[in-house]
Amino acid sequence: MKITKTILAMSLAAVMAMGVLSGCSSDQQSLEKIKESGEIVMYTNAEFAPFEYIGDNNEIVGVDVDIAKELAKDLGVELKIENVKFDTIIGAIQTGKGAFGAAGITVTPEREEQVDFSVKYVKSKQYIVQKTDSNFNTIDDLKGKQIGVQLGTTGDLTIDDALMAAADREDGTDGILYNSGAVLNQYNSAPLAAADIGTGKLDAVVVDELPAQAIANRENSGLKAVEMKYSDGSTVEEEYAFCVQKGNTELLEAINNTLERLMAEGKIDEYVLNHTTQE
Ligand code: GLN
């Protein structure tokens, strides 16, 4: 018995030491290493126009890319973009695979436990994409409906929470959609989900404001985007920020400097306008 306990304690200590040496070190993405290598790696999901999407030349473009290019210029390095599933971005930054995440990422308390966020640079709200002749304005209107979301997004979390019973919810009341027959359908991207409104599989897709409008504004989409309200008229408000590995303050400061400069110069509004009208 005693031996087993000792072995257990020893292996526990070894595992903890490994954690300190590998996963928890932000060294690989330090500002110094980035400058030395001449390259900074951004993680994103290019399915979120106007923030990141595939442009005419098959390159990833968008508001976040424009910002990231300014950051790279400010640091004197090249920008490299890794296009991955949205729900893997935070993990990739947490483990130091990439230097920063930029994907219209909403700051939430849960995510703040996993990564460090920059200053916020864009405000957003949740919208409901639907057929032009549908009439969904509030979450209540989605009772009994087939609802699509992008996996791991705040739209996903909002609808998931609305579907839960009192026992699983923070405020101890049943969610608005609980027991209504509404079904949550998770997709890898909002445009993919929206395509299923066309096929009749879904009634609505819940996604951030500008991406919702980008989807609805596509030629012959047959869709519209409506701000999603609670029955008391309030909305689901969010703010976007870039994220870095916890404790990587030097890189975070560099990102904040670039973001603050661009905001002061009115550049971010300009980028949004450029990528909205070019759709
Ligand atoms: N803002 C939303 C979120 O952070 C959606 C982001 C996205 O799909 N790229 O969850």
Side-chain angles (χ1 to χ4, degrees), residues 48-87:
F48 201 64
F51 295 98
E52 39 272 327
Y53 58 101
I54 308 291
D56 294 337
N57 302 327
N58 252 346
E59 271 178 32
I60 299 170
V61 294
V63 177
D64 288 332
V65 180
D66 289 347
I67 298 170
K69 279 187 178 156
E70 285 294 313
L71 171 69
K73 202 173 77 187
D74 288 348
L75 297 178
V77 297
E78 292 289 318
L79 175 69
K80 189 180 170 210
I81 302 179
E82 291 289 346
N83 186 16
V84 299
K85 286 184 188 163
F86 180 78
D87 68 319

Side-chain angles (χ1 to χ4, degrees), residues 5 7 18 23 46 68 93 103 109 172 180 217 273:
K5 262 194 186 163
I7 291 174
M18 271 163 61
I93 300 309
S180 72
N217 288 343
L273 209 65

Side-chain angles (χ1 to χ4, degrees), residues 48 86-87 90 103-111 117 124-127 139 147-162 184 186 205-209 211 228 230 236-240:
F48 201 64
F86 180 78
D87 68 319
I90 300 255
I105 302 174
T106 301
V107 180
T108 68
E110 294 75 25
R111 291 173 181 167
F117 280 104
S124 184
K125 285 179 180 178
Q126 290 299 315
Y127 266 55
I139 296 197
I147 308 163
V149 296
Q150 180 178 15
L151 180 67
T153 60
T154 41
D156 185 4
L157 298 175
T158 305
I159 298 304
D160 192 43
D161 179 66
L184 175 66
Q186 294 164 316
V205 171
V206 175
V207 60
D208 301 29
E209 176 173 7
M228 183 170 79
Y230 286 100
V236 186
E237 298 187 19
E238 313 185 353
E239 283 185 286
Y240 298 166

